[in-house]
Amino acid sequence: MFNEFELYEISSLLRKYNLACMKEQGYTSINFPAPSSPGITKHNERRYGITDGLLAIRLGYRIPSIEKGDESGTNATALSPDEEFTLTGGSTKPGELGKGGRNKFDKKVPAGGCSGVALKKLGYFPGETPGNPMEVQALDKESFTNSLKSDRVKRSLEKWSSCMRDNGYKYAPEPFSASNDHRFATRSVTKLEKDVATADTRCKQSSRLLTVWSAEETKIQESLIAEHQKELHEVQKQRDTTLSIIERRSGSSS
C-alpha cells in the first residue's frame, strides 16, 4: 500500500498525534518509540538482496545510515493497563475498534482511543474506511513466495550458487543464504563479509538472477492484481486520501 518512505512519514505523524492525544488525556510523561529510518534510498531496494556492488565493497551487507532520526523516542515507556485503554479505547485484539469510555483521570476516551484519533487525522476511520491495507501486504508476500517456486528462478539460483562456489564461497541456492551467514552478525563489518557481498552482486549479474526473478514475480503480481482488482481499488483510494493529508500536514504543527 505504502512504500518504505511513506510508511516512515506516516509512522512519524501517528506517533506525534498519539503523544499529543495521550497528553490531553492526562498522560504527560508518556513516550512512544520513534520510527526507524528506512535505511535505503529507493523503494524495494533489497527485495532480492544486495545488488549494489560498490556498496558491497564498502559496507558488505550492511544498510547505510541515511539520517540519525528522532532520538526523543528511544526511551519509550511501558504502558499501564489504563494507558493501554486510553491508547486503544479498550481494544482487545488487532483490528478491533475499542468502545472507549473514561480513564482514571475521568477523561472521556473516544471509540478507538488515541490511536483512532491519530488515524482519523490521516484520513482513516477505523471500522468505517473501506479498503484493507493488510490485503496488499498479503498479496505482496504471496507474489514473493510464489516467485521462488518458479522453475526459472530456481535455475537462476542454482547458477548463482555455482558462481559463489567458483569464488570460494559455499552457499545453498536460496535467495538470502549468503547475507544470513551467522559469521556476519558482528558489530562491525569484516573483510570476509565485504568479499562475500561483492561476489554475491557479481554472481547475481552473471546468473541473470535479478532479471529472471523480477520478471517472474511481475507476472505473478499482474495476475494477483487482476484477481483482486476491486479490493485494491479501495485500498488505492484510501492511499491517495492519506498521502494528500500527509502532504498538507507534514512539517506543520497541526
Side-chain angles (χ1 to χ4, degrees):
M1 183 179 182
F2 299 102
N3 65 39
E4 297 91 330
F5 311 102
E6 292 163 350
L7 285 172
Y8 175 70
E9 190 70 31
I10 289 169
S11 298
S12 297
L13 287 172
L14 286 176
R15 175 175 178 266
K16 172 184 174 182
Y17 299 145
N18 273 318
L19 284 172
C21 175
M22 292 295 284
K23 287 177 181 177
E24 289 176 1
Q25 290 286 339
Y27 290 103
T28 57
S29 60
I30 198 167
N31 201 2
F32 298 124
S36 301
S37 167
I40 56 174
T41 57
K42 57 185 178 182
H43 178 49
N44 271 343
E45 185 175 329
R46 296 213 176 182
R47 187 172 184 83
Y48 306 127
I50 191 167
T51 59
D52 188 331
L54 293 177
L55 195 62
I57 292 171
R58 187 164 59 90
L59 293 175
Y61 288 106
R62 312 298 167 108
I63 294 176
S65 175
I66 293 178
E67 57 185 75
K68 194 170 184 180
D70 178 10
E71 294 195 357
S72 61
T74 54
N75 297 315
T77 52
L79 299 182
S80 69
D82 192 70
E83 289 170 334
E84 188 76 36
F85 168 75
T86 303
L87 180 64
T88 67
S91 172
T92 57
K93 57 185 178 182
E96 178 186 72
L97 183 66
K99 295 180 180 179
R102 291 193 174 275
N103 65 14
K104 74 175 187 179
F105 298 108
D106 200 32
K107 299 273 189 178
K108 184 179 179 181
V109 177
C114 283
S115 290
V117 171
L119 286 168
K120 287 177 183 178
K121 284 181 177 286
L122 295 182
Y124 186 85
F125 294 81
E128 301 174 27
T129 303
N132 182 2
M134 295 301 291
E135 176 81 12
V136 178
Q137 294 178 24
L139 293 178
D140 182 68
K141 182 178 180 180
E142 184 176 345
S143 71
F144 185 86
T145 301
N146 288 346
S147 69
L148 290 171
K149 300 175 184 178
S150 160
D151 288 338
R152 292 188 66 212
V153 173
K154 288 179 180 178
R155 285 194 295 270
S156 290
L157 281 168
E158 288 285 358
K159 292 177 182 177
W160 169 85
S161 180
S162 176
C163 174
M164 292 295 283
R165 281 197 303 273
D166 291 343
N167 280 270
Y169 311 114
K170 187 176 181 180
Y171 290 105
E174 298 169 359
F176 306 109
S177 56
S179 58
N180 288 338
D181 191 324
H182 68 88
R183 292 176 296 176
F184 306 151
T186 54
R187 181 179 294 273
S188 301
V189 64
T190 62
K191 181 181 183 301
L192 175 62
E193 181 181 344
K194 293 178 183 179
D195 291 344
V196 171
T198 302
D200 189 349
T201 61
R202 291 172 179 167
C203 288
K204 280 190 174 84
Q205 292 176 350
S206 64
S207 64
R208 298 187 67 250
L209 175 59
L210 298 176
T211 301
V212 171
W213 195 354
S214 177
E216 289 297 298
E217 187 175 17
T218 297
K219 287 193 297 184
I220 295 169
Q221 289 171 338
E222 289 172 348
S223 175
L224 289 172
I225 289 170
E227 185 180 346
H228 298 272
Q229 202 166 32
K230 183 179 178 181
E231 305 98 294
L232 293 175
H233 177 67
E234 294 294 345
V235 174
Q236 182 64 44
K237 286 198 300 184
Q238 178 56 38
R239 178 181 186 275
D240 292 343
T241 297
T242 299
L243 291 181
S244 67
I245 292 172
I246 289 175
E247 190 174 347
R248 295 196 302 270
R249 292 181 179 270
S250 185
S252 71
S253 57
S254 59

